[in-house]
Amino acid sequence: MEGNLSTRARYLFGLNANISKENRVYTPVRSEDDLTVLLNLPHGRNGHGPLITFWTASFDRRGWTIAEQLKTMIEGGTGNRGDDERGVGFAVVETDAMTATELAPRYMVASQDTDERSTLLTCTQIDTIPTLMAFRGSLAEHKTRVTDKDKLRDISYLEDWVRARSAGR
């Protein structure tokens, strides 16, 4: 990883995070190092909230419109209002940034299958742009990821989705 963790964390977290209550909106992720740092940071109240990622590319105008709506929604407190909501972190992952050209096609993340009593791990690959996916720690919540463009355009669906991820549902 380029630089040390505290420098990367300060760049992504300290200097460039907009904070609304316990929600945090981070600078866009442009490298695997950026994503690794964010996955290892605590999010929300007492560090128990998820990191919500929105994977898009520079050529995807609709994706950037959705990303801006998500950012506005999260900065406004969605995911941090109810008693069971823990707050969230949010970052756009720019899959075609110069330093992230291979991030989406090859980024695989271990995800715990919560339907099994054992700690069965599976892999998830980002293969659709745009993709909305939450992470708890470094584990992807792949069963709740959203790639359906109609759902991604539906503001009330997105608000419900963010609230459910924040509440751990």
Side-chain angles (χ1 to χ4, degrees), residues 5 9 17 30 35 46-47 60 78 85 90 94 127 135-136 139 143 150 155 163:
L5 183 61
R30 294 186 175 103
L35 185 58
N46 302 318
D60 184 12
T78 298
E85 294 177 3
F90 174 72
E94 294 181 11
D127 55 6
F135 291 82
R136 286 204 185 274
L139 299 179
K143 289 183 178 182
D150 291 332
I155 297 297
R163 285 188 191 104

Side-chain angles (χ1 to χ4, degrees), residues 47-104:
H48 297 294
L51 173 65
I52 294 175
T53 57
F54 186 75
W55 301 66
T56 193
S58 61
F59 60 82
D60 184 12
R61 283 187 259 170
R62 284 190 180 144
W64 283 102
T65 300
I66 295 165
E68 192 57 39
Q69 290 170 332
L70 282 163
K71 178 183 174 209
T72 301
M73 177 188 315
I74 290 167
E75 284 177 333
T78 298
N80 194 40
R81 291 189 182 122
D83 291 337
D84 63 339
E85 294 177 3
R86 301 176 182 130
V88 299
F90 174 72
V92 173
V93 180
E94 294 181 11
T95 60
D96 61 346
M98 289 282 283
T99 55
T101 54
E102 306 253 338
L103 186 60

Side-chain angles (χ1 to χ4, degrees), residues 9-131:
R10 191 169 47 248
Y11 166 75
L12 290 167
F13 177 68
L15 299 176
N16 295 303
N18 296 319
I19 299 174
S20 171
K21 299 181 184 176
E22 297 294 329
N23 289 349
R24 294 187 175 97
V25 176
Y26 301 100
T27 59
V29 172
R30 294 186 175 103
S31 73
E32 192 165 357
D33 289 345
D34 291 351
L35 185 58
T36 300
V37 169
L38 289 182
L39 290 175
N40 287 296
L41 289 175
H43 306 286
R45 284 186 220 143
N46 302 318
H48 297 294
L51 173 65
I52 294 175
T53 57
F54 186 75
W55 301 66
T56 193
S58 61
F59 60 82
D60 184 12
R61 283 187 259 170
R62 284 190 180 144
W64 283 102
T65 300
I66 295 165
E68 192 57 39
Q69 290 170 332
L70 282 163
K71 178 183 174 209
T72 301
M73 177 188 315
I74 290 167
E75 284 177 333
T78 298
N80 194 40
R81 291 189 182 122
D83 291 337
D84 63 339
E85 294 177 3
R86 301 176 182 130
V88 299
F90 174 72
V92 173
V93 180
E94 294 181 11
T95 60
D96 61 346
M98 289 282 283
T99 55
T101 54
E102 306 253 338
L103 186 60
R106 72 180 183 83
Y107 185 75
M108 306 270 296
V109 62
S111 306
Q112 190 168 8
D113 186 344
T114 56
D115 293 340
E116 299 289 327
R117 288 180 182 242
S118 65
T119 55
L120 172 67
L121 296 180
T122 58
C123 289
T124 299
Q125 184 173 3
I126 304 299
D127 55 6
T128 304
I129 300 297
T131 294

